[in-house]
Amino acid sequence: MSYPYQIKSYDEYKEVYKKSIQDPEGFWGDIAKNFAWRKKWDKVLEWNFSEPNVKWFQGGKLNITENCLDRHLEKLGDKPAIIWEPNNPEDHSRTITYKQLYNKVCQFANVLKNNGVKKGDRVCIYMGMIPELAIAVLACARIGAIHSVIFGGFSAQSIADRLQDAKAEFIVTCDGAFRGAKDIPLKSVIDDALIACPFVKKVIVYTRTRTPISMIKGRDVWWEDEILKVESQGDQTCDAEEMDAEDMLFILYTSGSTGKPKGVVHTCAGYMIYTTYTFVNVFQYKPGEIHFCTADIGWITGHSYIVYGPLSAGATSLMFEGIPTWPDAGRFWDIVDKFRVNILYTAPTAIRSLMGFGLDPLKGKNLSSLRVLGTVGEPINEEAWHWYDEHIGKKKCPIVDTWWQTETGGTMISNLAGITPAKPSFATLPMPGVEPIFVDENGKEIEGNSVGGNLCIKQPWPSIIRTTYGDHERCRTNYFATYPNLYFTGDGALRDENGFYRITGRVDDVLNVSGHRIGTAEVENAINMHSGVVESAVVGYPHDIKGQGIYAYVIYTGHHSDDDLARKDISATVARIIGPIARPDKIQFVKGLPKTRSGKIMRRILRKIAEGELKNLGDTTTLLDPGVVEEIKGGKL
Ligand code: WT7
């Protein structure tokens, strides 16, 4: 593969950026020529942000897996597409070449077909980080089924909510997953979820942990048995379904400030082009290099920069089953040395957690293969940035700080490794085609440099969210209605004197815990489901490792035991309803919550108290009962 669209200098970036904004259709039309199409598009872009209605490459026909697999077979067929490192360092790693991956995807696509999956059907994938997860994703794309991957840490209730919302009739899962010292009983969680989802027709189960599981006749089948059936059928190839550019590729659920998680929809062509373009440019990928993105495929980062972006670029993508701290805090560095990794892309929370172990885990690690480092998911503090730079990159590797979202599909603001300048804790400059703008609360544009504001984007880029599954109005009100004719990100940001962007964090009621997005309303609902809880209010507070921690103020009447046990019960309830990632870090029992006369909780005050800032709480005169603030301030955890 060669990448004629790879930007090679800062000057070129400036030039390309200018063109991309002046003539987005010409710009993206040129880039799209580097992909495999069954039929060329008629029109590059049609859009309005009022409905919203965004269509890229209308009339074009393609299949993303022909771009990720077929087109590489001739030249890269024997090159590794996926390298997989298991949880246990003593087990064998696996290398899957492009040819092998192509065969496996075709085989499993046939398994899906044999089990009744058709174009447009929704397939939920709930698996650990094993190559079969990527294979299942690609097999869906091959036959035009819409995948919806659910992170292995979500509870049965969360899965049931998503299955119902997506009306997914098919599930691909594993018996269990290995993560560090733990075995996660995935199939058993699915069984619990399915009590509320009788419409699910088939569950395909891959064997990973060989933990005993129930297999219901007529509904549950083993992956391995189904592969044998395909093998006995003879021809194992599977023609790719011809997809419209704007056909749905996948749904991925993510939290917002209200209600249940929404299903963000991405479509085939625009998503493919943007993830490939940003992968090649941000990391400055060179053919033959090994790219290690440590995210889970259950999140957008894994979709875009483990699976689709790298594979479409013909890259080698390293997938890791385990966690950074098991069997010890040197695991990432062992993997880097074992496979001579060139690009390491991880989250600030992982860096901060590893930083906490000191330099011992780095003893004897070489790390000289590293060329580029990346971060994603949350703001990176300067201390972590410098530790990453000095101790991992040895001051020789550019660090790209990539700001983006589930809804944006790919990186929106980031430096290009070694090409455009880096600045600690700044995502720096927009990608070509991306036009950020700041507005104040009233939607008035804040122009110039050395300013801050609510971050919006002015015109569509190819992988912008198209809709929220089953509820287009929700997409409009969430992202396109706050400020007319702009996409609102939900983030606040600063622009420095040189026009470099620094993302400061969410300005809505969304938390970012260890780089994972969690809605305060969702956590409150889960807490309120605990028997004895009358009401609760959840806010974020600065947490040394997680970035943000979850602080819950709870009115509780169920005291039959001590407070600590009650806290543990509430935490268990949240883990049961949402998943362990949403467990509150701190629970404070209170008698009342600070509310305005109209009944709105004043979170600003609760946030300040959670941050330990007991003075300067601002104006409390509008409170119904200012006395509650004193009670909360004096309260214990
Ligand atoms: C939110 C999106 C992007 C994939 C992983 C998270 C925050 C993301 C950065 C960054 C500061 C960042 C934002 C954004 N965020 N990257 N480089 N610097 N903040 O995807 O779950 O959709 O969350 O993560 O607040 O809105 P997500």
Side-chain angles (χ1 to χ4, degrees):
M1 282 294 270
S2 66
Y3 314 115
Y5 48 83
Q6 193 170 52
I7 295 167
K8 285 286 156 221
S9 69
Y10 195 10
D11 282 342
E12 188 187 346
Y13 162 80
K14 290 178 192 158
E15 213 174 283
V16 166
Y17 183 78
K18 208 161 137 206
K19 171 175 178 187
S20 75
I21 299 303
Q22 282 165 355
D23 177 20
E25 291 201 59
F27 175 74
W28 289 110
D30 279 347
I31 289 164
K33 289 177 191 148
N34 295 286
F35 293 79
W37 296 85
R38 292 271 184 99
K39 178 181 167 285
K40 202 185 161 193
W41 58 92
D42 303 318
K43 185 157 180 31
V44 175
L45 173 64
E46 182 187 295
W47 70 287
N48 71 68
F49 275 174
S50 51
E51 293 177 57
N53 173 29
V54 178
K55 291 201 169 83
W56 283 94
F57 308 106
Q58 266 187 95
K61 304 251 186 219
L62 77 161
N63 186 292
I64 195 167
T65 70
E66 289 189 331
N67 283 273
C68 291
L69 301 168
D70 307 47
R71 70 164 163 162
H72 302 317
L73 293 180
E74 198 186 319
K75 288 198 180 127
L76 302 175
D78 296 321
K79 291 262 163 358
I82 293 178
I83 296 176
W84 175 74
E85 169 72 4
N87 182 57
N88 186 335
E90 274 152 33
D91 291 347
H92 286 292
S93 57
R94 290 166 65 184
T95 298
I96 302 173
T97 64
Y98 271 96
K99 234 182 241 159
Q100 290 165 335
L101 185 61
Y102 166 81
N103 288 333
K104 284 175 185 293
V105 168
C106 285
Q107 263 192 337
F108 193 66
N110 285 323
V111 167
L112 292 173
K113 281 191 191 167
N114 283 345
N115 280 279
V117 183
K118 290 185 294 295
K119 178 176 180 175
D121 286 346
R122 276 80 53 220
V123 179
C124 156
I125 304 178
Y126 186 66
M127 299 172 90
M129 280 288 285
I130 53 175
E132 283 66 25
L133 166 50
I135 291 165
V137 161
L138 292 164
C140 286
R142 185 106 187 143
I143 64 169
I146 299 162
H147 57 77
S148 173
V149 185
I150 302 180
F151 173 62
F154 280 114
S155 69
Q157 179 66 53
S158 298
I159 296 168
D161 289 344
R162 287 159 170 77
L163 290 171
Q164 287 161 2
D165 188 81
K167 297 179 192 69
E169 294 175 334
F170 303 93
I171 295 178
V172 185
T173 188
C174 296
D175 48 359
F178 295 124
R179 266 176 74 81
K182 286 193 207 133
D183 291 6
I184 298 158
L186 298 177
K187 174 61 165 64
S188 155
V189 178
I190 288 288
D191 288 338
D192 286 346
L194 293 198
I195 295 168
C197 303
F199 50 84
V200 169
K201 291 184 185 147
K202 275 282 154 70
V203 182
I204 304 173
V205 186
Y206 181 82
T207 310
R208 174 61 187 130
T209 56
R210 204 53 196 100
T211 185
I213 55 171
S214 67
M215 291 291 285
I216 305 298
K217 191 187 291 168
R219 188 193 72 185
D220 301 350
V221 296
W222 292 105
W223 173 303
E224 296 80 358
D225 291 346
E226 296 302 301
I227 293 285
L228 288 178
K229 274 187 214 160
V230 170
E231 280 173 352
S232 72
Q233 285 164 353
D235 182 14
Q236 288 167 57
T237 59
C238 175
D239 285 342
E241 187 76 31
E242 188 169 284
M243 304 293 283
D244 284 337
E246 281 295 340
D247 275 342
M248 272 188 212
L249 176 62
F250 66 84
I251 306 171
L252 185 58
Y253 284 84
T254 190
S255 297
S257 49
T258 55
K260 290 196 169 161
K262 42 194 182 278
V264 172
V265 170
H266 285 289
T267 57
C268 296
Y271 176 81
M272 168 184 80
I273 287 164
Y274 195 75
T275 53
T276 312
Y277 180 81
T278 49
F279 171 74
V280 163
N281 276 298
V282 169
F283 301 108
Q284 289 288 304
Y285 185 80
K286 296 193 189 110
E289 284 190 327
I290 295 176
H291 170 76
F292 178 18
C293 165
T294 71
D296 192 290
I297 294 178
W299 309 107
I300 191 69
T301 309
H303 283 62
S304 301
Y305 299 116
I306 295 179
V307 182
Y308 288 114
L311 296 180
S312 159
T316 299
S317 184
L318 195 151
M319 234 179 122
F320 172 42
E321 184 181 35
I323 58 171
T325 49
W326 193 85
D328 59 52
R331 190 66 196 278
F332 276 1
W333 325 130
D334 288 334
I335 297 174
V336 167
D337 284 348
K338 179 171 174 186
F339 300 103
R340 309 269 319 143
V341 167
N342 305 106
I343 304 168
L344 175 68
Y345 188 34
T346 195
T349 188
I351 299 168
R352 287 191 298 263
S353 141
L354 295 173
M355 203 168 97
F357 288 87
L359 296 178
D360 269 3
L362 279 160
K363 285 209 180 105
K365 319 287 167 175
N366 179 303
L367 304 185
S368 64
S369 58
L370 288 173
R371 186 181 62 80
V372 172
L373 302 176
T375 73
V376 60
E378 46 175 324
I380 182 162
N381 48 311
E382 291 203 30
E383 194 192 354
W385 194 98
H386 287 294
W387 188 87
Y388 202 29
D389 183 36
E390 272 168 44
H391 299 292
I392 308 306
K394 320 275 185 199
K395 295 212 159 193
K396 281 188 291 211
C397 304
I399 298 177
V400 290
D401 177 350
T402 64
W403 172 81
W404 55 295
Q405 311 178 295
T406 304
E407 294 85 346
T408 70
T411 294
M412 299 289 282
I413 303 183
S414 172
N415 48 319
L416 310 181
I419 301 292
T420 64
K423 180 172 176 183
S425 83
F426 279 71
T428 72
L429 296 171
M431 294 302 297
V434 173
E435 199 176 359
I437 106 163
F438 284 171
V439 294
D440 65 18
E441 282 90 86
N442 306 315
K444 200 173 157 302
E445 180 168 0
I446 301 167
E447 286 171 292
N449 286 341
S450 304
V451 291
N454 293 334
L455 178 62
C456 294
I457 313 287
K458 232 170 168 170
Q459 45 171 311
W461 59 100
S463 63
I464 185 175
I465 180 176
R466 298 302 196 272
T467 189
T468 43
Y469 192 79
D471 190 352
H472 192 63
E473 178 59 12
R474 196 167 176 204
C475 173
R476 191 186 71 79
T477 51
N478 253 286
Y479 307 104
F480 299 92
T482 320
Y483 306 113
N485 294 317
L486 296 174
Y487 166 81
F488 177 43
T489 65
D491 280 316
L494 304 170
R495 192 161 49 213
D496 76 0
E497 61 284 4
N498 299 313
F500 285 20
Y501 288 86
R502 174 189 191 148
I503 312 301
T504 47
R506 305 287 306 194
V507 294
D508 52 9
D509 290 324
V510 170
L511 305 179
N512 191 327
V513 180
S514 302
H516 302 316
R517 210 202 284 192
I518 299 171
T520 51
E522 246 183 295
V523 183
E524 286 164 7
N525 286 336
I527 293 175
N528 296 349
M529 285 177 78
H530 184 72
S531 148
V533 170
V534 179
E535 202 183 354
S536 62
V538 164
V539 296
Y541 72 97
H543 186 288
D544 284 348
I545 289 171
K546 299 178 176 185
Q548 263 187 323
I550 301 180
Y551 196 119
Y553 298 89
V554 178
I555 307 177
Y556 183 61
T557 59
H559 293 274
H560 69 270
S561 63
D562 67 39
D563 279 3
D564 267 346
L565 282 173
R567 285 193 184 92
K568 283 184 185 146
D569 289 343
I570 291 172
S571 172
T573 306
V574 174
R576 173 73 66 184
I577 302 297
I578 305 176
I581 53 169
R583 280 183 195 271
D585 297 276
K586 294 184 180 175
I587 296 175
Q588 181 179 345
F589 293 118
V590 296
K591 292 210 178 69
L593 293 167
K595 288 188 180 172
T596 60
R597 281 184 197 93
S598 59
K600 221 173 128 304
I601 296 173
M602 289 188 74
R603 288 165 193 284
R604 176 177 56 80
I605 294 175
L606 294 176
R607 247 179 251 129
K608 286 222 164 143
I609 298 174
E611 285 165 15
E613 204 184 306
L614 302 182
K615 287 181 198 128
N616 307 324
L617 291 182
D619 183 12
T620 55
T621 53
T622 55
L623 285 178
L624 187 62
D625 173 11
V628 296
V629 176
E630 291 312 309
E631 192 258 334
I632 295 174
K633 271 162 64 177
K636 293 196 308 272
L637 282 176

